[in-house]
Amino acid sequence: MLRVKLAGSAAATEKKLTDFIKAISGSGRATIDKTGGLTLAIVNPDQYRDEIYRRIAAGANRAVGFCAADYAVNVSGLDRAVAWSQVSNTRYFCIFPTAFQLGSRALGDAGESRQQSGR
């Protein structure tokens, strides 16, 4: 496995890797073969946790804004791990399943549950 920083387009990075592999002269029975395509890696994914929290809070607050003034929101699942899914050579989707419940502040009601995804 070769790891390089994505510089420019995915095609340019793949060409850089292919040229590197071709430039290495084989010694004895050792060979380097290219298999598969590019795979992205996210360095320090927890660095995005605060932004994910902000987006979840914004969605939950937007939902509670449609309710009566005495309603509040309760968010759960913020302790879960952040998961990622590669969707192209240069893009990932963030998957962070959470849930929030809307309810009356006065009653402490759980109210209606809404699923939210941190995408």
Side-chain angles (χ1 to χ4, degrees):
M1 175 181 5
L2 296 174
R3 287 187 82 167
V4 296
K5 214 173 206 177
L6 186 63
S9 69
T13 300
E14 192 160 9
K15 182 179 177 342
K16 184 178 175 181
L17 288 171
T18 301
D19 290 348
F20 173 77
I21 291 168
K22 286 179 182 176
I24 295 174
S25 61
S27 174
R29 295 182 186 184
T31 62
I32 297 177
D33 295 320
K34 182 182 167 204
T35 60
L38 292 178
T39 302
L40 295 177
I42 296 177
V43 178
N44 187 19
D46 273 341
Q47 70 179 310
Y48 301 104
R49 193 171 283 276
D50 288 348
E51 179 61 25
I52 293 167
Y53 289 164
R54 274 191 281 285
R55 289 178 184 227
I56 291 169
N61 286 329
R62 191 169 37 255
V64 82
F66 291 103
C67 300
D70 67 335
Y71 269 59
V73 65
N74 180 11
V75 179
S76 62
L78 296 177
D79 57 336
R80 292 182 176 178
V82 177
W84 305 89
S85 177
Q86 186 171 345
V87 295
S88 74
N89 281 339
T90 58
R91 297 190 72 192
Y92 267 106
F93 276 145
C94 168
I95 303 157
F96 193 66
T98 59
F100 63 84
Q101 296 176 323
L102 304 176
S104 170
R105 291 177 203 218
L107 300 176
D109 242 352
E112 189 176 345
S113 179
R114 299 269 187 232
Q115 291 297 316
Q116 184 79 0
S117 177
R119 282 191 182 185

